[in-house]
Amino acid sequence: MSETQLEQDFQNKIDSGEVIEPKDWMPERYRKQLIRMMSQHAHSEVVGMLPEGNWITRAPSLARKAILLAKVQDEAGHGLYIYSATETLGIDRQEMNNQLHSGKAKYSSIFNYPTLTWADMGSIGWLVDGAAIVNQTALAKCSYGPYARAMVRICKEENFHNKQGYQLLAYLMRGTKEQQEMAQESMNRWWWPSLMMFGPSDTNSPNSGELMRWKVKLHSNDNLRQRFIDRTVPQAEAIGLTIPDPNLKWNETTRHYDHSDIDWAEFQNVIAGNGPCNRDRIRARVKADSDGLWVREAAASYAKKHFPN
Ligand code: FAQ
């Protein structure tokens, strides 16, 4: 069968809602795009452990420490599921890690911001996991089977993360004036970077057209961003937090919130490697990779000896 015919059959399968599995024929470009997007997603989960890990030893109670530990551990698991799903496309984990360390592969811009106060643990859970859920609920229906299946479990866990973050902030908002101010100050810093998680605006998103045609992405960046805003504003209002956007206003005609423009220069600067924590994040990952080398070598040697086939 000619390449053109194979591509046509592939597109027909996608259009009719069939799921693509690792052994199915797929265009090389589909495979490459999935590796790019999924490996970046896996890296985000693992790099995303760093800003929260920063607060484990300083959690204000044993219960909060246990919740935070469980959350950070969940993120490691999410990284593992997505790395494994990406490996079904013919790339191994070390190669993905090398791409992260060299800067060839990106990870989410959001994790280049520092966690300065305890309230940031609430903002990450509520806003960052909240944004991740909106994006990943759609990805759970994407055309590539292993990615979609990984998303189902991840979304369940992210819902727990989201709720604990919201509850943390709600608790602070019922506390002293200082606690309320800490929560609001944290919200002020995390709101705009959370909106940037959805990627550039649709008119500036080079990968969206292809990914939507292949039903990897089911909705555009702006569409998902708007969904996140619409569901988050009433939540903020319910606990007395103010969204740091003077132009935020419910629009009766569109039935969505209008909002100010996003600072795209800041977004581009962060994804180009110049955010407040980019260098620290990569340094930490490179160190973890080299510190863990002996463990990987020992495991490989054990496996070779005891499970030769
Ligand atoms: N940060 O053409 P598009 C989480 C890049 S998981 C950095 O629109 P695309 C869980 C993009 O890669 C969060 N780079 O790209 C958690 C591309 O560059 P490239 C991660 C970004 O792929 C919570 C260029 O800009 N989630 O938070 C970003 O169609 C708490 C052009 O952009 C996922 O990865 C960004 N925000 O759409 C963990 C979900 N946005 O690669 C710990 C899966 C764009 O050509 C604690 N990914 N870029 O050099 C996606 O849905 C998509 O890949 C988008 C980007 C929407 C992120």
Side-chain angles (χ1 to χ4, degrees), residues 36 40 106-107 109 135 196 199 205-207 217 221 271:
R36 177 190 67 82
Q40 294 187 168
K106 295 189 170 73
Y107 58 91
S109 50
N135 182 291
M196 293 174 195
S205 165
N207 298 296
K217 275 170 128 172
N221 296 356
I271 68 169

Side-chain angles (χ1 to χ4, degrees), residues 20 43 87 99 133 154 186 275 295:
I20 307 300
H43 297 323
E87 283 184 322
Q99 292 180 353
I133 291 167
I154 290 178
S186 174
V295 180

